[in-house]
């Protein structure tokens, strides 16, 4: 138990870096009004794209579904974003008309945009602004964004609905039903939670299973009223009302463990007019599964160890280490950039590793005794045990190996990613959250084996590992940004996309005059979410939760 509480304390101390700024997730819902189309004869097929600004560049975060022929769309899809209190996070909402035969933006017409900060939306809870097109207002069109904090409860629920014997609303074919679920708010307004897809020409539809957060469904209140409406879809956007019913999350939970819950779908007009009216069909909830979302701290406290590996670039472009201009120059009083980056990131990672032994590798040098080029050699020259004792051990191994190497090339990082991936893939056999691997790559230049590296990263995205690349020196690192999937989805040369974004790239020069903590925070900010995404995605719970829960109550 002693070891557990030590890890608890050190984690709690350094978690300040992860927790204090963020860990508030915010759900944004979007609706538009009065969108005018370029073609007056037809209504647009709108879709809203959310972009975020990073280092002066806008990049796409996510997009809503496309709603066909609609000038006042209320979108069902939510945007979930991390809210950092101490940062100005600039957002841009762009409304595009997506033509049905093409889902890309090439064919799309830009209908207007709105820029604001996340802080503005969060502080006002509901922000409505005119849409602007090339600096001018786009007719009378406006956009409304509503923010809700995901307060503590990140659990989500999986629901699977079907219906039978729905009223037929179409003359020549059967109805085309879809289902909408609304949450009734305390102020008597209603909020769209989910809209299913349309099932064409079918009075007994089975809609696709969908996931929604418990927070979004009922604001964490199981008895909150939910209003459900079944519509018959019409291509002109004027959908016909079939019927409605109301429920609660508590009632829906009845559809767990193989049971079903059913409701009569009622059209109040028919009920009032027709004597022998029974219903307009039956809606069935076939399954309700609740998925518990565990936090980064849950996994760490449950005994998940962070296995930290370092890889250092020893290519000739760093310059001769004996020369004071070299990036590898060992100054008697001043650590070089490699050492600064290593210590800043390593000191935080070591708090999450009980044995404090770190494998450290080099790449791009000719190594003794035969002076052949290697892209994954142990810097302590002990291939059977490349581990160094603590970050101090890595620093000493680095300093003592430098004079023995011939700096060479090229800059290949795929071999070292593959090496760590091999250990991570052995870990997956345990089927538990015991070890998560972080590879820190320190490099001075653009990598030479980009195709192999992309392939290696796509493979590694299926494993319990993350890759952090710190660019040292003043090279042009624009190619490296591509590996950091923030700006779009990284794909292997064969076109396979990464399963999760596991690469974080940071140029050291951005932090030259900042504190080591600022570099560490920037580099490690995404790691907690990457750990959680991996294990939650695989349905792996934290290990000894019971032990952790008991230590949690004892902890100050």
């Amino acid at each position: 138990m002693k070891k557990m509480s030590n890890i608890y304390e050190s984690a709690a101390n350094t978690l300040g870096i992860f927790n204090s700024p963020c860990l508030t997730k915010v759900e944004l819902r979007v609706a538009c009004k009065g969108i005018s189309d370029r073609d007056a004869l037809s209504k647009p097929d709108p879709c809203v794209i959310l972009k975020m600004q990073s280092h002066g560049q806008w990049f796409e975060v996510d997009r809503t579904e496309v709603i066909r022929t609609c000038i006042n769309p209320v979108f069902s899809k939510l945007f979930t974003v991390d809210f950092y209190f101490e940062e100005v996070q600039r957002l841009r909402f762009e409304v595009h008309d997506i033509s049905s035969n093409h889902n890309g933006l090439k064919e799309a017409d830009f209908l207007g945009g709105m820029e604001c900060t996340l802080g503005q939306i969060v502080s006002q809870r509901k922000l409505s602004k005119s849409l602007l097109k090339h600096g001018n207002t786009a007719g009378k069109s406006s956009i409304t964004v509503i923010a809700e904090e995901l307060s503590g409860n990140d659990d989500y629920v999986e629901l699977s609905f079907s219906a039978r014997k729905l009223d037929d609303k179409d003359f020549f074919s059967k109805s085309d039903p879809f289902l909408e679920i609304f949450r009734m708010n305390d102020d008597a307004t209603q909020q769209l939670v989910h809209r299913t897809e349309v099932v064409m020409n079918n009075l007994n539809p089975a809609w696709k299973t969908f996931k929604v957060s418990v927070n979004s469904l009922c604001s964490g209140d199981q008895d909150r009223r939910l209003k459900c409406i079944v519509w018959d879809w019409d291509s002109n956007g004027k959908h016909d009302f079939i019927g409605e019913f109301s429920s609660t999350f508590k009632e829906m939970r009845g559809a767990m463990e193989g049971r079903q819950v059913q409701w009569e779908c009622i059209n109040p007009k028919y009920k009032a007019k027709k004597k022998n009216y029974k219903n307009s069909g039956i809606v069935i909830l076939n399954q309700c599964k609740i998925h518990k979302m565990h936090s980064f701290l849950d996994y760490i406290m449950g005994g998940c160890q962070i296995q930290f590996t370092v890889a250092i670039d020893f290519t000739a472009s760093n310059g001769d280490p004996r020369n004071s201009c070299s990036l590898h120059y060992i100054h008697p009083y001043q650590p070089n950039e490699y050492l600064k980056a290593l210590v800043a990131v390593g000191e935080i990672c070591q708090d999450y590793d009980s044995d404090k032994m770190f494998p450290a590798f080099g790449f791009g040098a000719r190594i003794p005794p035969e002076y052949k080029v290697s892209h994954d050699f142990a810097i302590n020259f002990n291939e059977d045990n490349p581990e160094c004792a603590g970050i101090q051990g890595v620093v000493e191994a680095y300093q003592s190996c430098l004079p023995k190497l011939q700096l060479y090339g090229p800059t290949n990082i795929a071999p070292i990613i593959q090496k760590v991936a091999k250990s991570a893939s052995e870990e997956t056999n345990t089927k538990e959250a015991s070890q998560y691997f972080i590879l820190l790559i320190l490099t001075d230049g653009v990598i030479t084996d980009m195709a192999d590296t992309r392939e290696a990263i796509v493979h590694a995205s299926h494993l319990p590992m993350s890759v952090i690349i710190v660019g040292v020196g003043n090279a042009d690192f624009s190619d490296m940004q591509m590996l950091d999937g923030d700006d779009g989805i990284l794909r292997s040369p064969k076109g396979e996309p990464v399963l999760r974004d596991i690469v974080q790239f940071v140029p050291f020069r951005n932090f030259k005059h900042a504190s080591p903590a600022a570099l560490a925070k920037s580099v490690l900010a995404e790691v907690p979410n990457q750990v959680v995404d991996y294990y939650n995605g695989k349905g792996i719970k934290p290990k000894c939760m019971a032990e952790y829960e008991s230590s949690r109550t004892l902890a100050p």
Side-chain angles (χ1 to χ4, degrees):
M1 199 60 219
K2 176 92 178 76
K3 189 177 101 179
M4 201 67 185
S5 61
N6 281 353
I7 286 194
Y8 182 93
E9 277 162 33
S10 62
N13 291 338
T14 54
L15 257 182
I17 276 215
F18 297 139
N19 278 19
S20 61
C22 172
L23 282 204
T24 308
K25 284 196 178 302
V26 176
E27 289 186 331
L28 301 178
R29 302 162 180 282
V30 188
C32 299
K33 276 201 169 138
I35 302 175
S36 50
D37 195 19
R38 63 199 185 281
D39 174 0
L41 299 174
S42 66
K43 292 179 186 170
D45 298 335
C47 162
V48 174
I49 293 171
L50 170 62
K51 293 185 173 179
M52 240 177 191
Q53 200 176 48
S54 171
H55 304 302
Q57 301 278 315
W58 290 103
F59 63 89
E60 179 176 334
V61 178
D62 207 348
R63 54 175 72 185
T64 63
E65 75 277 22
V66 177
I67 297 185
R68 300 279 168 223
T69 51
C70 189
I71 55 171
N72 300 317
V74 176
F75 295 95
S76 166
K77 182 174 160 59
L78 296 171
F79 296 131
T80 306
V81 288
D82 291 329
F83 173 56
Y84 295 90
F85 174 71
E86 79 290 4
E87 279 178 31
V88 175
Q89 292 167 275
R90 296 197 182 284
L91 305 183
R92 180 172 165 78
F93 295 86
E94 292 183 359
V95 187
H96 289 267
D97 180 9
I98 308 265
S99 56
S100 52
N101 55 358
H102 190 292
N103 250 1
L105 290 185
K106 300 284 183 288
E107 304 281 313
D109 266 44
F110 175 60
L111 299 175
M114 184 270 279
E115 285 180 26
C116 62
T117 67
L118 185 54
Q120 284 169 330
I121 306 174
V122 169
S123 62
Q124 297 181 33
R125 295 236 165 233
K126 180 175 181 177
L127 179 72
S128 292
K129 284 178 95 170
S130 295
L131 285 170
L132 298 181
K133 197 169 176 181
H134 314 308
N136 305 313
T137 50
K140 291 199 172 114
S141 58
S142 66
I143 183 164
T144 301
V145 185
I146 296 175
E148 276 192 300
E149 185 183 332
L150 275 172
S151 47
N153 186 349
D154 281 351
D155 298 353
Y156 63 93
V157 57
E158 206 172 293
L159 299 169
S160 175
F161 283 94
S162 61
R164 63 168 190 264
K165 297 187 178 167
L166 292 174
D167 283 357
D168 196 351
K169 295 284 181 184
D170 294 348
F171 285 120
F172 301 111
S173 62
K174 299 188 177 96
S175 295
D176 308 318
F178 67 93
L179 171 70
E180 286 186 329
I181 300 174
F182 294 88
R183 178 187 80 213
M184 305 310 287
N185 296 327
D186 298 336
D187 60 2
T189 58
Q190 54 185 40
Q191 181 64 61
L192 177 66
V193 173
H194 183 77
R195 180 187 295 122
T196 67
E197 78 286 6
V198 178
V199 176
M200 299 299 282
N201 197 22
N202 194 331
L203 302 180
N204 303 298
W207 290 289
K208 283 180 188 157
T209 303
F210 63 91
K211 289 177 187 170
V212 58
S213 73
V214 171
N215 199 73
S216 173
L217 181 65
C218 62
S219 307
D221 169 7
Q222 301 208 8
D223 295 311
R224 184 177 293 277
R225 200 161 78 81
L226 303 173
K227 181 173 164 188
C228 308
I229 305 179
V230 182
W231 299 91
D232 167 30
W233 179 81
D234 252 326
S235 57
N236 65 6
K238 293 176 180 164
H239 310 306
D240 298 317
F241 175 76
I242 292 179
E244 63 186 20
F245 61 93
S246 72
S247 180
T248 61
F249 179 39
K250 196 176 200 171
E251 189 180 15
M252 288 181 178
R253 290 183 69 149
M256 291 167 76
E257 279 106 43
R259 296 192 296 276
Q260 287 184 337
V261 183
Q262 300 192 358
W263 297 269
E264 285 190 294
C265 192
I266 301 295
N267 183 328
K269 276 188 187 167
Y270 288 0
K271 194 174 181 178
K273 279 185 193 167
K274 297 182 179 177
K275 267 193 185 153
N276 55 357
Y277 174 79
K278 271 193 179 164
N279 59 50
S280 295
I282 304 285
V283 175
I284 305 137
L285 177 58
N286 299 294
Q287 74 156 3
C288 169
K289 269 191 203 163
I290 296 170
H291 295 267
K292 184 120 194 72
M293 293 298 275
H294 296 287
S295 72
F296 178 60
L297 209 56
D298 289 339
Y299 286 105
I300 294 294
M301 300 304 142
C304 180
Q305 298 284 316
I306 298 287
Q307 296 295 339
F308 181 61
T309 302
V310 184
I312 300 171
D313 179 336
F314 290 109
T315 53
S317 52
N318 284 284
D320 183 339
R322 291 166 298 190
N323 183 328
S324 63
C325 302
S326 167
L327 291 168
H328 279 304
Y329 180 64
I330 302 293
H331 193 285
Y333 311 114
Q334 176 71 20
N336 63 32
E337 287 188 15
Y338 277 98
L339 285 173
K340 279 184 187 162
L342 164 67
V343 172
V345 180
E347 284 199 327
I348 285 176
C349 291
Q350 72 180 356
D351 279 339
Y352 299 92
D353 188 335
S354 56
D355 72 357
K356 311 277 186 273
M357 298 297 287
F358 305 117
F361 297 95
F363 58 92
R366 289 173 156 169
I367 57 170
E370 286 157 18
Y371 287 96
K372 282 188 178 153
V373 176
S374 169
H375 295 292
D376 55 354
F377 61 90
I379 62 173
N380 63 3
F381 298 119
N382 179 349
E383 292 302 328
D384 298 327
N385 183 12
E387 294 190 329
C388 305
I391 294 301
Q392 193 49 40
V394 179
V395 171
E396 286 162 12
Y398 164 75
Q399 290 174 330
S400 67
C401 84
L402 259 174
K404 302 170 190 157
L405 302 173
Q406 276 182 16
L407 274 54
Y408 206 68
T411 311
N412 289 355
I413 62 171
I416 192 69
I417 296 173
Q418 287 156 354
K419 194 173 203 128
V420 174
K422 188 165 181 279
S423 307
S425 109
E426 286 160 12
E427 167 62 21
T428 55
N429 301 331
T430 65
K431 301 276 190 290
E432 55 179 38
S434 47
Q435 292 189 325
Y436 189 93
F437 293 78
I438 293 181
L439 168 60
L440 171 65
I441 299 174
L442 304 169
T443 175
D444 83 313
V446 179
I447 54 178
T448 325
D449 60 341
M450 187 57 95
D452 290 349
T453 296
R454 279 163 48 203
E455 184 80 47
I457 289 169
V458 168
H459 169 67
S461 71
H462 293 259
L463 301 171
M465 75 178 271
S466 295
V467 181
I468 293 165
I469 305 173
V470 177
V472 175
N474 291 315
D476 173 10
F477 292 119
S478 47
D479 276 5
M480 303 294 261
Q481 300 286 5
M482 173 179 133
L483 298 174
D484 186 336
D486 289 351
D487 295 331
I489 294 173
L490 174 75
R491 293 177 184 275
S492 73
K494 294 180 191 136
E496 186 192 343
V498 281
L499 182 67
R500 14 191 285 283
D501 176 14
I502 61 163
V503 178
Q504 176 70 343
F505 171 75
V506 178
F508 185 83
R509 58 177 173 247
N510 294 3
F511 294 90
K512 225 169 185 165
H513 306 296
S515 66
L519 170 73
K521 182 183 146 188
S522 171
V523 161
L524 295 169
E526 292 184 20
V527 168
N529 283 341
Q530 290 172 351
V531 172
V532 167
D533 287 351
Y534 174 77
Y535 290 121
N536 276 328
K538 288 264 188 287
I540 296 175
K541 294 184 171 72
K543 282 199 322 182
C544 39
M545 277 309 279
E547 219 181 297
Y548 158 47
E549 290 298 344
S550 60
S551 75
R552 209 176 194 180
T553 48
L554 304 172

